Amino acid sequence: MENIVNQNAKLKVYTSNDKFINCTPEMIHNILLLYTKNLEAIVRTERLVTVQLANYSSIKLNDLNVMIYESLEKLRYHDVAENYYRLNL
């Protein structure tokens, strides 16, 4: 898990205006916290997204949003996924 965290610390997320922000697992945790207070949903989704991001050095913000949404759906947090989709995609 430490390798994933170290690699994700270098993950660049490109915004629509071609600027980037460095993404960390804590940022994903905080994003999910905006949509649910269910700690189990947050941790499970955060882990699934973090594992998927281990293969990336950069990603578009929209692609990251889709990944988070699809992860929520896969884990059957449909209400949270629907709310996330409505506000981010």
Side-chain angles (χ1 to χ4, degrees), residues 29-78:
H29 181 88
N30 291 335
I31 289 168
L32 292 167
L33 200 55
L34 296 172
Y35 296 93
T36 183
K37 302 301 179 212
N38 180 339
L39 189 57
E40 180 182 341
I42 292 170
V43 170
R44 290 180 71 208
T45 306
E46 175 185 10
R47 286 181 180 168
L48 182 56
V49 171
T50 302
V51 167
Q52 293 175 74
L53 290 175
N55 297 314
Y56 293 85
S57 59
S58 64
I59 189 170
K60 292 180 182 177
L61 180 58
N62 190 58
D63 294 338
L64 177 59
N65 285 332
V66 169
M67 186 181 292
I68 292 171
Y69 165 75
E70 288 177 345
S71 296
L72 287 164
E73 279 291 329
K74 285 178 189 171
L75 294 170
R76 298 186 183 147
Y77 298 113
H78 302 296

Side-chain angles (χ1 to χ4, degrees), residues 2-15:
E2 189 172 320
N3 289 339
I4 293 170
V5 172
N6 289 339
Q7 183 172 349
N8 282 343
K10 301 173 190 171
L11 179 69
K12 292 181 180 181
V13 178
Y14 285 91
T15 62

